[in-house]
Amino acid sequence: MGMFDAINNAGSGLVVYRKWLDAVSDNVSNINDVSPTSGPAFQARYVVAQAQDYGNAGGAKVGGIELGSAGGRLVYQPDNPLADKDGNVRVPDIDLADQMGQLIIAQRAYQANLSVVQRAQDAYQAALGLGK
């Protein structure tokens, strides 16, 4: 695998992990959304990563986005204007602790891929300096 392959692999990883970070931040920002019981709750977004073939080298790509349950959870909030006759509202079924763990994993993987790209750039600069 050459340096260009390393940049392609790391670049594809950057795209996947950026999408993952976007999905996690979207989930966390909508964790307290409230819906009437007659409607769907906010559906969490989950990134599906797939292997991608770049000839001799591999890589990753976003294969799609899966959505969480629209059923959510029923929560008793009789003061909420969206509450039904029993005082219930629908909230997303998103676990904040799980999302924070996902955030840390995605952030560290993004940083690792970015480090690979930066190191490859440094190696190219050094190689160009040899010819002077």
Side-chain angles (χ1 to χ4, degrees):
M1 174 171 30
M3 278 198 255
F4 285 119
D5 294 337
I7 289 179
N8 284 339
N9 286 347
S12 68
L14 286 172
V15 171
V16 170
Y17 289 116
R18 182 181 47 102
K19 293 287 185 186
W20 191 5
L21 287 167
D22 290 345
V24 170
S25 65
D26 196 25
N27 293 342
V28 170
S29 66
N30 288 293
I31 204 164
N32 292 321
D33 283 2
V34 176
S35 304
T37 55
S38 60
F42 172 81
Q43 293 177 275
R45 278 103 168 118
Y46 301 101
V47 174
V48 178
Q50 291 180 336
Q52 182 170 322
D53 186 20
Y54 288 117
N56 294 339
K61 67 178 181 177
V62 175
I65 302 290
E66 289 185 2
L67 299 176
S69 169
R73 296 179 291 119
L74 291 181
V75 175
Y76 183 69
Q77 289 183 358
D79 298 341
N80 194 307
L82 297 176
D84 62 10
K85 63 180 175 17
D86 297 325
N88 293 320
V89 293
R90 192 172 305 278
V91 296
D93 191 17
I94 299 173
D95 181 20
L96 182 59
D98 176 61
Q99 292 298 307
M100 295 309 290
Q102 299 276 329
L103 179 70
I104 291 168
I105 293 168
Q107 180 183 17
R108 295 229 172 115
Y110 185 89
Q111 289 171 340
N113 280 290
L114 187 58
S115 178
V116 169
V117 171
Q118 290 170 339
R119 296 233 183 336
Q121 285 178 335
D122 293 344
Y124 284 130
Q125 292 295 329
L128 289 173
L130 290 175
K132 289 183 181 183

